[in-house]
Amino acid sequence: MSGTLTMAACPTTPAAATESPPGDTSATATDAPLRRPLVLVGLMGAGKSSIGRRLAQRLGVSFADADSEIEKAAGRTIPEIFEAFGEEEFRNGERRVIRRLIESGGPQVLATGGGAFMADDTRALIKEQATSLWLKADFETLFERVSKRSNRPLLKTADPKATLRDLMARRYPVYGEADIVVETCRVPIEETVDKVYHAVLDHLAHAATPAP
């Protein structure tokens, strides 16, 4: 694996409207509760993309998926990027794309890859310019979900279960720095979305309350 990963200088679609909320679009940026990006973090299989799309609709803002934006910018799938350039180059591109989305996106829900929040500079950017939310799931839930898909480069090992446990051990303490933490489990997705939505509203209300 060698070479440098080249990504398009400009996003394929405007960052602020990467993916419009489906369904009811009556809410506008002026009456939406968010005033800056809400960044979803967590391990693969936590549901960041599927929950994020529905959450964006509930909040009346746009949705962006960092992994999809990386693939658009590179003109390759993420497994192809890993194979051709390695993880380090992928992470470099990931940092650039997430910075662009946060700095130009305005209020939105942004789903990130499992390793994005582990980068010190990305984590600092999110803390400064966005609100972070960790979708926390247990091992059994995560492994059941990721086992259904074969496009997880980090799990292409001799022992995927051990690899996932190792990722949890290393990443969960860092994910714990997120502004909001929501425990997820194997329930209908709309139930989880509702739980996350109210956790976000509670956090925003608390943040807006003046200190005594």
Side-chain angles (χ1 to χ4, degrees):
M1 296 178 291
S2 61
T4 302
L5 175 61
T6 302
M7 294 191 173
C10 299
T12 306
T13 52
T18 302
E19 294 187 30
S20 298
D24 181 10
T25 57
S26 58
T28 65
T30 56
D31 56 24
L34 287 183
R35 292 294 177 264
R36 60 183 195 166
L38 176 66
V39 181
L40 304 187
V41 304
L43 270 183
M44 62 187 85
K48 300 183 294 293
S49 296
S50 54
I51 291 170
R53 287 187 179 89
R54 291 166 173 81
L55 180 62
Q57 180 181 357
R58 291 283 299 271
L59 292 169
V61 298
S62 61
F63 170 77
D65 186 298
D67 282 353
S68 296
E69 289 298 302
I70 291 167
E71 291 182 333
K72 290 178 185 177
R76 298 169 182 255
T77 66
I78 288 175
E80 288 171 347
I81 294 172
F82 266 77
E83 183 176 356
F85 304 101
E87 184 177 359
E88 183 177 356
E89 277 299 313
F90 168 77
R91 297 300 176 195
N92 290 336
E94 181 178 54
R95 285 195 291 269
R96 293 194 297 271
V97 166
I98 290 175
R99 176 171 291 276
R100 182 252 294 170
L101 290 169
I102 289 177
E103 292 183 343
S104 63
Q108 63 175 305
V109 174
L110 171 61
T112 62
F117 201 62
M118 300 300 292
D120 292 341
D121 52 350
T122 298
R123 196 162 63 253
L125 174 69
I126 293 171
K127 289 181 179 180
E128 178 184 350
Q129 299 189 30
T131 299
S132 53
L133 188 153
W134 174 22
L135 292 175
K136 185 179 181 180
D138 60 41
F139 174 82
E140 288 74 18
T141 299
L142 292 175
F143 193 75
E144 178 184 347
R145 292 173 180 170
V146 299
S147 297
K148 297 175 181 178
R149 302 179 64 179
S150 60
N151 62 338
R152 308 288 189 179
L154 293 182
L155 292 185
K156 292 186 180 299
T157 64
D159 190 345
K161 283 190 173 182
T163 301
L164 183 60
R165 290 188 188 280
D166 179 63
L167 287 172
M168 293 177 72
R170 289 187 287 111
R171 292 181 177 180
Y172 271 31
V174 179
Y175 292 160
E177 298 180 22
D179 299 307
I180 308 168
V181 179
V182 178
E183 297 264 3
T184 66
C185 53
R186 283 169 280 189
V187 297
I189 189 169
E190 292 303 335
E191 185 175 328
T192 301
V193 172
D194 192 61
K195 182 179 180 180
V196 174
Y197 174 72
H198 285 97
V200 172
L201 294 187
D202 288 346
H203 173 81
L204 295 175
H206 180 76
T209 302

